[in-house]
Amino acid sequence: MIIKRRYGLSILFREILPPLVILTGWDCVVVILFQIFHQEWMEQPALPFSLMGSALAIFLGIRNNAAYARWWEARTLWGAITNNCRSFGRELESLLGGQPSLARAMAAYPYILKSSLSGNEPDSAIQGLLDADTYRFVFSCTNPANALLYRIGQKVRTLVEERHIDGAVHGTVDRILSDLANAQGGLERIRNTPLPVQYSLLPKVITHLFCILLPLSAVQTLGWITPLGSSIIGVLFQMLDRSGQNLQEPFKISPHSLPMLTMSRTIERDLLQPLGMEYHPLPQPRFGQMP
């Protein structure tokens, strides 16, 4: 996730640079054909393109709002994961007398969830947090994050039975695990349900089409400076389109995705530090980005 604005603008500009170069070259071709070879078919009225640009701006605004709502919901659910993991650690100490093995297992949960959502290999920190038996069980299941919650629930039940702890205490801890499962389900829903094609593909196609047709309506008025005026307008629409594309995939490894590694490290620190146990330090921002 980008945490410094100036880096965000530079990254966004680099992403739209290739189509910008192509469109600028097309603008130059249009100017040369019109000014030197006097191609009359290029004399297109400006009004239709103005209406098309207005409609495209509204369309991109609606799509970007939907993409940001998707990104923000994912961030909210990760906030619920963080809060419930902290609550679980506190309940272990205050209600169950402290259980370092369970605290470490819960510290591994956000790492496993992160790898499941992003589709990457499991983080190396997981092996140091789980015992060998739990590690084998978790990664033998189709949904490792859910399997870990299941195993933690089993261990809590065993602890309650061995120590004859009141059922109300067990219910309190179990509700935290249920809240974690609910938040995980919401994150998986976002991952498995992409934006409709009308929101993901059409804006890109229409934006490129508009940028191609734009110099045909501007060349009569702007003449030789058409590449400058057309490129500025094209950059604005390209940046709007790219912004929406970046936000609609909150788990994809990119500068614009959620800082899942940082949140996982934060949860691990908050669970293990009060117990005097070692934990992985928070990653340092690089080039204005938080991983």
Side-chain angles (χ1 to χ4, degrees):
M1 185 179 74
I2 299 172
I3 57 177
K4 292 186 179 181
R5 294 181 181 179
R6 63 189 182 93
Y7 286 106
L9 290 175
S10 64
I11 291 173
L12 190 59
F13 185 78
R14 286 200 302 270
E15 290 177 344
I16 67 169
L17 187 59
L20 176 61
V21 172
I22 295 174
L23 291 173
T24 301
W26 165 244
D27 292 344
C28 294
V29 171
V30 170
V31 171
I32 293 173
L33 290 176
F34 183 80
Q35 295 290 351
I36 299 179
F37 296 99
H38 306 290
Q39 299 291 320
E40 296 182 357
W41 63 271
M42 292 185 175
E43 297 182 6
Q44 302 297 327
L47 180 60
F49 294 97
S50 300
L51 296 176
M52 182 180 178
S54 300
L56 179 59
I58 295 174
F59 188 22
L60 289 174
I62 295 173
R63 192 282 303 273
N64 288 4
N65 284 339
Y68 181 74
R70 177 184 175 87
W71 188 92
W72 183 246
E73 183 186 4
R75 180 62 186 88
T76 302
L77 290 170
W78 261 103
I81 295 286
T82 302
N83 293 339
N84 281 291
C85 286
R86 289 169 175 166
S87 297
F88 182 83
R90 187 182 65 253
E91 299 293 345
L92 283 180
E93 180 63 30
S94 61
L95 300 180
L96 300 179
Q99 291 293 317
S101 61
L102 284 177
R104 294 175 67 87
M106 184 56 72
Y109 173 72
Y111 289 108
I112 296 176
L113 181 60
K114 175 182 75 70
S115 63
S116 298
L117 294 173
S118 63
N120 292 335
E121 292 295 322
D123 196 284
S124 58
I126 299 174
Q127 284 187 313
L129 294 170
L130 297 178
D131 59 77
D133 180 62
T134 301
Y135 186 89
R136 285 193 299 269
F137 169 75
V138 164
F139 286 100
S140 67
C141 298
T142 305
N143 191 330
N146 182 69
L148 180 57
L149 291 181
Y150 184 84
R151 178 54 63 92
I152 291 174
Q154 287 181 323
K155 292 184 176 181
V156 169
R157 184 197 63 192
T158 301
L159 184 64
V160 168
E161 292 175 350
E162 290 177 350
R163 297 189 178 184
H164 304 289
I165 298 175
D166 187 82
V169 173
H170 185 197
T172 300
V173 177
D174 191 66
R175 275 193 297 272
I176 296 176
L177 297 178
S178 297
D179 290 340
L180 285 170
N182 289 334
Q184 177 184 331
L187 292 170
E188 291 171 343
R189 168 177 50 80
I190 294 173
R191 180 199 61 187
N192 297 330
T193 311
L195 282 179
V197 66
Q198 297 91 333
Y199 277 21
S200 58
L201 180 60
L202 282 181
K204 182 177 182 178
V205 173
I206 297 175
T207 299
H208 289 335
L209 179 62
F210 175 76
C211 292
I212 291 173
L213 297 177
L214 181 61
L216 299 179
S217 66
V219 69
Q220 304 173 59
T221 305
L222 299 180
W224 289 104
I225 64 172
T226 297
L228 176 61
S230 180
S231 297
I232 292 176
I233 297 175
V235 164
L236 295 177
F237 279 99
Q238 290 288 339
M239 291 181 74
L240 281 174
D241 178 52
R242 178 61 66 172
S243 297
Q245 292 182 49
N246 292 333
L247 290 175
Q248 69 186 29
E249 296 292 344
F251 311 124
K252 183 179 179 180
I253 301 301
S254 76
H256 313 279
S257 62
L258 293 174
M260 294 188 291
L261 177 60
T262 300
M263 292 186 286
S264 299
R265 294 279 178 87
T266 300
I267 293 172
E268 180 190 0
R269 180 199 63 191
D270 293 346
L271 284 170
L272 302 185
Q273 189 178 56
L275 299 177
M277 303 170 66
E278 294 184 355
Y279 57 89
H280 293 87
L282 295 178
Q284 296 299 316
R286 297 184 60 191
F287 306 109
Q289 304 172 36
M290 184 65 75

